[in-house]
Amino acid sequence: MSAISEELRTEQFVLSLRGVLPYVYEHAWQSVLDGTPLTRTALRPGPDGRLRRTLRPDARFRLQIVDWRATRAEVQDARLAERLAGESAAGLPLDRAPLMCATLIRRSDRNWTFAWRYARELMDRRAGLRVLEEVADAYAVLLRGGTPRRAATTATGATTAGATRAVGPSGARPVGAVGSGPPGTGAAGSRPLEAVAR
């Protein structure tokens, strides 16, 4: 496998959430990611064939919001599986930032599916879980009318020592997660959010 193809692998998280306010959720993501190198990083092949990071100063995180409520649940499940497989097969455009895509899918009046995929070159799985935790914290702060604190996530994938946690928006318990792997654990006083990488 070439150096370039090894670095194009992605991590994918798929969460089932309840009662999300989509535009507040998008704002929470922007408050965590905007202003960090994570949203501005693009890649280009160097003369030696290895990928080099380059920053795009005007790049911003964008959350795609779609509504599938008019579709039967079994059709939604098939569409979701097809969509996730298609995204994984398509990869991410190297020269465009951010090297991630995120979609919030409304499945019913209360139930949502959130799918987030990013290039492993940006961060590892633990850092991805850390981002999910920071977004959940920012979402809770926004719901209370506050201003989220500055994100502590780095583009290197480094995380602080100790267990990585992910919590649901405002402590709401999600209905489950798609995929396999170790679930995140909830913060004190909140219910756990199962965040699983694919």
Side-chain angles (χ1 to χ4, degrees):
M1 194 176 274
S2 71
I4 290 180
S5 62
E6 284 178 26
E7 296 189 75
L8 294 183
R9 293 175 300 174
T10 60
E11 289 286 351
Q12 186 171 57
F13 289 87
V14 179
L15 310 176
S16 293
L17 305 172
R18 250 180 225 249
V20 174
L21 298 175
Y23 298 106
V24 177
Y25 196 60
E26 180 177 29
H27 187 187
W29 273 91
Q30 288 171 341
S31 71
V32 169
L33 292 178
D34 286 353
T36 72
L38 292 174
T39 55
R40 298 192 311 269
T41 300
L43 302 173
R44 62 176 176 75
D48 60 358
R50 292 190 178 274
L51 293 174
R52 306 279 187 232
R53 290 176 187 236
T54 175
L55 294 181
R56 308 277 191 236
D58 57 347
R60 289 193 70 208
F61 173 83
R62 300 267 184 247
L63 177 65
Q64 180 184 15
I65 301 169
V66 295
D67 191 336
W68 287 358
R69 285 178 292 176
T71 308
R72 292 189 324 270
E74 61 273 11
V75 176
Q76 288 181 13
D77 292 341
R79 281 177 74 183
L80 179 62
E82 184 178 303
R83 180 184 191 118
L84 296 175
E87 284 182 357
S88 293
L92 292 166
L94 290 179
D95 58 347
R96 278 191 265 159
L99 289 172
M100 63 178 70
C101 61
T103 307
L104 187 60
I105 303 166
R106 189 164 201 173
R107 309 282 299 267
S108 70
D109 287 344
R110 300 260 317 141
N111 297 324
W112 299 77
T113 296
F114 174 70
W116 177 45
R117 190 166 53 93
Y118 60 86
R120 289 185 186 176
E121 177 68 18
L122 282 180
M123 61 187 142
D124 62 15
R125 182 180 293 189
R126 281 186 179 229
L129 284 167
R130 173 92 184 250
V131 168
L132 289 172
E133 176 184 3
E134 290 177 2
V135 168
D137 290 345
Y139 182 80
V141 169
L142 287 167
L143 285 179
R144 292 192 304 268
T147 302
R149 65 178 174 78
R150 192 117 182 132
T153 305
T154 66
T156 63
T159 58
T160 57
T164 302
R165 298 176 304 150
V167 294
S170 73
R173 182 168 185 189
V175 294
V178 178
S180 61
T185 58
S190 69
R191 296 181 183 150
L193 169 66
E194 296 179 19
V196 181
R198 288 172 129 334

